[in-house]
Amino acid sequence: MNEVHIPAGRATLAGNLSIPVNATALVLFAHGSGSSRHSPRNQFVARTLNDARLATLLFDLLTPEEELVDTRTAELRFDIDLLAERLVHATTWVKQQQQQTRDLRIGYFGSSTGGGAALVAAAQLPEDVGAVVSRGGRPDLAGAALPKMQAPTLLIVGGQDDIVIELNEQARNQMGCKVKLEIIPGATHLFEEPGALEQVAKLASDWFINHIAH
C-alpha cells in the first residue's frame, strides 16, 4: 500500500493506493458522513477487492482543515457537488499521473453521502467510470445526475434501513443505466451485524469483476 497525495484544485488530498499483482481494474472509494480513508468498513471491503485483483484508492474527500469544520457543522459531508468534484480530480490523477493505474478501468464504491457523490462524478465521466457500487448510500442526493447515469450501478442497502431503502428505490427508478438494488436481510445502516459486511464486499467484488475487470 502506498500513501499518496492527490491534487484537487487548491486542496491536496491524502490517500492509500493498493495495487495487487496483475490488477485488472481500479476502484476509488467515496466515503460518507464524518468518515475518512481510515474507515474500518471501507478498509475491509478494499481488502476483499484487493484479494480479487482489483486495485483500490481510499482517500480523504476533505482536507484536515475541512474535516474540523465539518465535525462542528456537518455541512461539507452533504456538499455533494464538492465531494463529486474531489472524486473527479482523483480520477483524473489516477488516469494521468500514475503509470501503474492509467490503463486500468475505473469503478467507484460510495457509502452514505459518498454514494450520491459517486453517482454525480460517474455521470460527469461516462468515458472513464465503468461501474458504481453504493453501500448504504444516498443516491437520491445525486439529483439531476441520475437520469444521465451510464455506468452499471449496484445499490446495496440493509434490510432494517427502511428510510434508505425507500430513497434508493426512488433513485433507482430515475436512473437510465443498468441498476440493481440488493437488500441484505437483517442488516442496519452500518452493516455491523455478523456476516453483513462480508456480503457487501462479495457483492461489490462480483459487480466490479463482471463490469470492469479485463
Side-chain angles (χ1 to χ4, degrees):
M1 182 178 70
N2 297 326
E3 183 152 331
V4 294
H5 300 281
I6 302 160
R10 288 178 293 180
T12 300
L13 309 174
N16 296 327
L17 179 63
S18 296
I19 306 175
V21 176
N22 298 323
T24 55
L26 170 65
V27 177
L28 280 69
F29 280 66
H31 56 74
S33 309
S35 189
S36 73
R37 72 186 190 279
H38 301 299
S39 157
R41 284 178 287 278
N42 280 349
Q43 288 183 347
F44 176 86
V45 173
R47 286 194 297 273
T48 302
L49 299 185
N50 293 157
D51 290 342
R53 291 198 296 138
L54 296 163
T56 54
L57 174 62
L58 284 82
F59 69 104
D60 295 337
L61 276 73
L62 301 177
T63 65
E65 295 77 18
E66 290 168 339
E67 292 275 7
L68 288 174
V69 172
D70 189 62
T71 300
R72 290 198 310 272
T73 67
E75 62 189 37
L76 295 176
R77 67 188 66 178
F78 286 100
D79 189 339
I80 300 301
D81 289 339
L82 172 67
L83 301 182
E85 180 188 316
R86 298 283 169 83
L87 195 50
V88 168
H89 278 298
T91 306
T92 302
W93 179 77
V94 296
K95 295 296 284 185
Q96 295 180 356
Q97 303 301 321
Q98 290 292 303
Q99 193 164 1
Q100 300 162 287
T101 59
R102 64 176 51 149
D103 295 326
L104 295 176
R105 295 192 67 202
I106 301 285
Y108 287 162
F109 182 93
S111 48
S112 193
T113 53
L119 293 174
V120 171
Q124 291 176 16
L125 299 173
E127 301 295 317
D128 292 326
V129 182
V132 177
V133 175
S134 167
R135 168 182 69 81
R138 292 290 307 275
D140 56 296
L141 296 175
L146 293 173
K148 301 174 186 171
M149 276 293 296
Q150 296 182 30
T153 300
L154 175 64
L155 306 172
I156 306 174
V157 187
Q160 301 298 313
D161 203 3
D162 295 339
I163 294 171
V164 176
I165 290 175
E166 191 175 319
L167 293 171
N168 274 258
E169 288 174 339
Q170 292 170 3
R172 177 191 59 187
N173 295 339
Q174 296 177 58
M175 294 169 73
C177 59
K178 175 182 179 180
V179 57
K180 184 177 184 183
L181 176 60
E182 284 275 5
I183 296 174
I184 308 284
T188 51
H189 186 62
L190 295 179
F191 299 92
E192 293 174 313
E193 295 71 26
L197 199 58
E198 285 83 354
Q199 289 183 65
V200 170
K202 179 71 167 63
L203 287 167
S205 179
D206 289 348
W207 191 261
F208 289 127
I209 288 169
N210 288 335
H211 291 98
I212 59 172
H214 295 296

